[in-house]
Amino acid sequence: MKQKTLMILTCLILLSGHVYAQKFQQEYGNARKAFVETIATPNHADSHYRLGEEATLKVVAREGGQPVQGTELRYKVGPEMFLPNTWNTTRFVDGVATINMGTMKVPGFLACQYEYQLDGKKYTDLVKLAYTPKQIKAYTTMPADFVRFWQNVLKEARKVAFEPVMYEVPDATNKQLETKLIRLRVGKNKWIYGYLTRPRDGKKHPVVLVPPGAGSNKIFPSDYFSHQGFVYMKIEIHGNDQRLPDDEYNAMRQKKCDGYMRRGMESKDTYYYKDVYVGCARAVDYLCSLPDWDGKNVIVTGGSQGGALSIITSALNEKVTMCAPFYPALCDLTGFLHQRAGGWPKFFTSWYKDGKVEIPQQKAVETLSYFDVVNFARILRVPTFVSWGYSDDTCSPTSVWAMYNEITAPKQCDITPTSGHWRFASSQAKCLEWMKKHLK
């Protein structure tokens, strides 16, 4: 009886605390804007400059709607990803601090990192400005046997049967859509998992493949493209069983996949990405074998590593009809050897864990030339929509422009200067509109 009474009293105390918390929250109110607001505006609205042209950055800060006064702003300016170690300083006057960023004499990006503190909290941002970006040239060279090498690799992979195994996904299935987790064999010793979501209307549809971003985390089903009338497969690239409990999965993937982007770099035949690239191309073959494919339209889209794999897959597989990468990785990988920003994984840098190269530099350069997205862009033949931002410090805009300038296929770019390694909803909507416009 005493135990029951104690439990009741405990519940009442917790409930009482919850009620008081609710009242306090209602009294406190929910702010609809940040108390400290910052916006940085370059003197060219589009963030584009001619060589030799001086750039300034105006940083406006308001605290509760009042201009910040007298607060120190620290900043450093330099070529993208090669900022100096020392900071310069200025101060806010009537809420405005002006930074003279200088200029550039060669095509590329000038970057400014700034920060300031109010009431013990730090506010920071990164702004990059483009200098004649259409003139950025890739440092990546194409091996003489590049096309032949990949044709042979794909030809061998196509000799292997898919051996698909499907698993029900009840939580992602309803009257309108069916979702299944599928395991596919996409090479002699290569498997992938993917979530296949398709409309349940008995009609034929375009197919969409979405390769993953970097890492080996679990993927999850999505209904975005299927609600637009597409058969949609979202894949992982390591053959990791998505049904495993999280603890077991995380332990497994860390042991199996850590540092995968550097594995086997001694040779183009042993590099980890070889089976990944051709595996994505084979995933397209599988989608095109489905009875509800419309027989015409094949789209590949993804972001970061998934953006890189979108371009690569579209260049390798002749069935692809549209390519839509966002902020693609693995572009112009040797840029850092020329004191210019390259693409993720930032090979040949000493300040980024994934960029460590533990084999002779020339051997790494030779291998990577077969895997650099720049060379796949050079052989791309389908309409391509590329979206990226300038504040991205993961996949540098310099490297993306270097790749984009090599595309000779019909292309469209969507640039949002203030976005980093992410996209605005408007960019995704613009991409979807572009896809529908280019459907056969």
Side-chain angles (χ1 to χ4, degrees):
M1 185 67 180
K2 287 182 179 180
Q3 186 176 5
K4 184 175 181 181
T5 303
L6 183 61
M7 289 179 63
I8 292 172
L9 285 172
T10 302
C11 290
L12 287 172
I13 291 169
L14 291 172
L15 181 60
S16 173
H18 177 67
V19 171
Y20 279 120
Q22 277 193 325
K23 286 184 177 179
F24 181 75
Q25 186 179 17
Q26 289 167 359
E27 183 122 353
Y28 186 81
N30 293 313
R32 287 174 290 184
K33 297 181 74 173
F35 186 62
V36 175
E37 300 172 282
T38 311
I39 185 167
T41 307
N43 58 325
H44 281 199
D46 63 357
S47 299
H48 283 205
Y49 294 78
R50 296 188 301 273
L51 297 182
E53 198 168 14
E54 295 285 331
T56 60
L57 187 68
K58 183 170 73 172
V59 183
V60 179
R62 298 173 71 85
E63 185 178 26
Q66 298 294 322
V68 171
Q69 193 70 257
T71 298
E72 181 182 83
L73 180 141
R74 302 201 315 157
Y75 67 93
K76 47 188 177 181
V77 175
E80 179 187 21
M81 291 190 178
F82 289 92
L83 293 178
N85 293 322
T86 56
W87 294 82
N88 294 310
T89 61
T90 186
R91 291 188 179 274
F92 286 101
V93 177
D94 296 329
V96 178
T98 301
I99 299 171
N100 295 314
M101 291 181 59
T103 189
M104 292 188 74
K105 296 182 179 180
V106 295
F109 276 78
L110 191 62
C112 175
Q113 182 182 343
Y114 69 83
E115 62 180 40
Y116 66 95
Q117 291 196 20
L118 285 175
D119 300 324
K121 184 175 180 180
K122 182 184 290 186
Y123 299 87
T124 184
D125 200 3
L126 177 70
V127 175
K128 299 182 185 181
L129 306 179
Y131 276 81
T132 58
K134 292 183 180 180
Q135 295 180 23
I136 294 175
K137 302 295 184 183
Y139 284 110
T140 301
T141 58
M142 178 179 280
D145 65 339
F146 179 83
V147 173
R148 184 169 66 254
F149 170 76
W150 284 108
Q151 285 176 340
N152 290 337
V153 173
L154 182 56
K155 182 179 178 180
E156 288 302 307
R158 280 175 165 165
K159 294 177 180 178
V160 179
F162 290 118
E163 302 175 17
V165 179
M166 291 194 179
Y167 308 94
E168 299 294 331
V169 188
D171 292 345
T173 297
N174 53 43
K175 291 181 180 180
Q176 289 77 39
L177 303 174
E178 174 192 68
T179 298
K180 291 189 177 181
L181 175 65
I182 184 168
R183 180 179 187 263
L184 287 178
R185 186 173 185 175
V186 291
K188 185 176 180 181
N189 296 299
K190 183 66 176 177
W191 288 262
I192 61 171
Y193 282 82
Y195 284 102
L196 178 64
T197 303
R198 54 221 291 201
R200 306 178 80 172
D201 57 7
K203 299 178 181 178
K204 294 184 179 293
H205 301 276
V207 294
V208 179
L209 177 73
V210 179
S216 54
N217 293 316
K218 279 188 175 181
I219 59 172
F220 298 94
S222 168
D223 59 4
Y224 176 79
F225 284 109
S226 294
H227 276 307
Q228 302 298 328
F230 300 148
V231 173
Y232 165 47
M233 188 161 70
K234 182 179 182 180
I235 63 171
E236 62 86 49
I237 58 171
H238 306 290
N240 293 339
D241 190 344
Q242 303 296 297
R243 299 168 301 157
L244 292 175
D246 287 350
D247 290 347
E248 185 179 343
Y249 183 89
N250 287 331
M252 174 272 297
R253 74 180 183 84
Q254 287 174 8
K255 182 178 179 181
K256 176 182 175 183
C257 302
D258 188 47
Y260 69 88
M261 68 291 296
R262 301 188 300 275
R263 291 187 185 175
M265 200 184 288
E266 295 81 5
S267 165
K268 64 181 182 294
D269 295 307
T270 59
Y271 191 31
Y272 188 90
Y273 270 122
K274 186 188 84 168
D275 289 340
V276 171
Y277 286 12
V278 78
C280 290
R282 287 293 283 144
V284 166
D285 286 343
Y286 176 76
L287 284 171
C288 293
S289 73
L290 297 175
D292 44 348
W293 174 44
D294 67 5
K296 301 176 183 177
N297 297 286
V298 180
I299 305 167
V300 190
T301 184
S304 192
Q305 177 185 260
L309 294 174
S310 296
I311 297 168
I312 292 158
T313 304
S314 301
L316 287 180
N317 193 311
E318 72 284 354
K319 299 181 180 73
V320 176
T321 58
M322 273 184 267
C323 176
F326 289 82
Y327 34 88
L330 295 156
C331 294
D332 207 29
L333 294 169
T334 58
F336 290 105
L337 292 177
H338 302 271
Q339 295 300 298
R340 193 181 79 181
W344 182 91
K346 305 177 189 175
F347 290 130
F348 313 110
T349 61
S350 58
W351 37 266
Y352 189 67
K353 182 187 73 171
D354 290 338
K356 295 178 181 177
V357 175
E358 298 166 343
I359 63 172
Q361 181 177 295
Q362 188 52 44
K363 175 53 67 176
V365 170
E366 180 184 337
T367 296
L368 290 173
S369 66
Y370 288 88
F371 297 87
D372 197 306
V373 175
V374 165
N375 283 334
F376 291 93
R378 287 168 171 154
I379 62 171
L380 198 57
R381 295 293 178 264
V382 298
T384 303
F385 177 99
V386 189
S387 177
W388 71 103
Y390 285 172
S391 293
D392 194 336
D393 229 24
T394 301
C395 298
S396 67
T398 297
S399 68
V400 178
W401 266 110
M403 178 280 301
Y404 186 80
N405 290 338
E406 295 291 339
I407 298 175
T408 57
K411 60 184 179 181
Q412 178 177 329
C413 67
D414 169 59
I415 296 169
T416 49
T418 59
S419 64
H421 200 58
W422 43 270
R423 73 195 77 167
F424 288 109
S426 60
S427 292
Q428 186 65 54
K430 188 182 293 185
C431 180
L432 180 63
E433 181 182 356
W434 176 87
M435 289 176 182
K436 291 182 176 181
K437 180 181 177 180
H438 285 81
L439 289 175
K440 295 182 180 180

